């Protein structure tokens, strides 16, 4: 079974002037976007809940900074949460930045017991992860090197799918398979100099 993680259904304002996006994991046709503006200077985890869409196996949360500096590395906290009462199949995660970035990576926190199979490219990082146990979650840091000449906005896109595939599957194949059907969680940060 292959199920998309989903489209963003809420943009949350959380304490400490932080920005966060949450997606329920619903298929793109079942989720609708909300456009509440937020401002932030630091990335923190969102603890508020989003409006529920259709039932889906995995929810994605993204915490992001409102403003980033040109020439610096910016971090996005990405959390995947299993909403099922059983273990999920493997998870495909994609992070991409269309422009203003010279290097993109995904890192797992030290001391965790899960290992990711990721590609590391200039403007995107793709991963295949083991399934999540009941009620379990994965936390990652997506890091992007902002170009020194970047101006305007830095847009980040986060999405994926629950897939029944081997952990050795090339994540680029999964991205081409799902293509436009992925419902991307989109972040927007202002680039400062």
């Amino acid at each position: 079974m292959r199920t998309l993680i989903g489209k963003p259904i809420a943009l949350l304002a959380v304490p400490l002037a932080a920005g966060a996006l949450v997606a329920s994991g619903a298929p793109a046709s079942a989720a609708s976007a909300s456009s509440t503006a937020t401002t932030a200077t630091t990335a923190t985890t969102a603890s508020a809940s989003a409006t529920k869409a259709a039932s889906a196996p995995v929810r994605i949360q993204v915490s992001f900074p409102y403003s980033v500096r040109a020439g610096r590395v910016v971090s996005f906290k990405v959390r995947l949460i299993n909403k099922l009462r059983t273990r999920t199949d493997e998870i495909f995660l994609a992070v991409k930045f269309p422009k203003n970035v010279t290097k993109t990576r995904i890192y797992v926190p030290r001391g965790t017991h899960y290992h990711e199979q990721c590609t590391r490219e200039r403007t995107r990082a793709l991963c295949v992860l083991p399934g999540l146990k009941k009620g379990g979650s994965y936390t990652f840091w997506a890091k992007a090197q902002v170009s020194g000449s970047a101006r305007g906005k830095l847009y980040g896109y986060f999405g994926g799918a629950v897939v029944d595939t081997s952990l050795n599957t090339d994540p680029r194949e999964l991205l081409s398979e799902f293509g436009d059907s992925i419902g991307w969680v989109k972040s927007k940060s202002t680039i400062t100099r």
Side-chain angles (χ1 to χ4, degrees):
M1 180 171 118
R2 295 179 179 233
T3 309
L4 295 172
I5 288 178
K7 233 181 178 173
I9 60 166
L11 182 61
L12 305 174
V14 294
L16 303 175
L21 294 171
V22 177
S24 73
S29 62
S32 62
S34 172
S35 59
T36 305
T38 62
T39 59
T41 55
T42 61
T44 63
T45 304
S47 59
S49 63
T51 305
K52 300 278 185 212
S55 178
V58 175
R59 184 173 72 185
I60 185 170
Q61 294 178 334
V62 177
S63 300
F64 63 98
Y66 175 71
S67 131
V68 299
R69 286 184 137 309
R72 301 262 174 100
V73 173
V74 60
S75 295
F76 299 80
K77 188 172 184 178
V78 180
R79 190 162 180 238
L80 302 174
I81 304 161
N82 180 3
K83 294 174 35 179
L84 297 177
R85 294 183 184 186
T86 61
R87 184 177 182 84
T88 68
D89 285 330
E90 287 70 29
I91 298 172
F92 163 63
L93 173 67
V95 175
K96 63 181 185 173
F97 299 91
K99 62 179 187 172
N100 291 325
V101 168
T102 59
K103 182 170 53 171
T104 304
R105 303 286 186 264
I106 293 179
Y107 297 96
V108 297
R110 288 180 187 224
T112 58
H113 298 287
Y114 55 93
H115 302 284
E116 80 283 13
Q117 169 69 28
C118 295
T119 66
R120 297 173 179 202
E121 303 171 22
R122 184 176 161 267
T123 60
R124 70 182 186 188
L126 311 170
C127 297
V128 178
L129 309 157
L132 277 167
K133 65 182 182 181
K134 172 186 171 183
S137 67
Y138 289 138
T139 302
F140 300 90
W141 275 267
K143 296 192 177 194
Q145 174 71 48
V146 181
S147 170
S149 61
R151 290 184 172 19
K153 304 288 183 192
L154 175 66
Y155 294 97
Y157 296 86
F158 307 83
V162 176
V163 296
D164 57 348
T165 189
S166 162
L167 286 176
N168 294 328
T169 303
D170 185 349
R172 290 173 285 222
E173 291 176 19
L174 294 171
L175 182 63
S176 64
E177 178 182 332
F178 288 104
D180 294 332
S181 59
I182 293 176
W184 297 99
V185 175
K186 180 179 176 183
S187 68
K188 179 172 84 171
S189 304
T190 302
I191 299 171
T192 60
R193 299 187 100 13

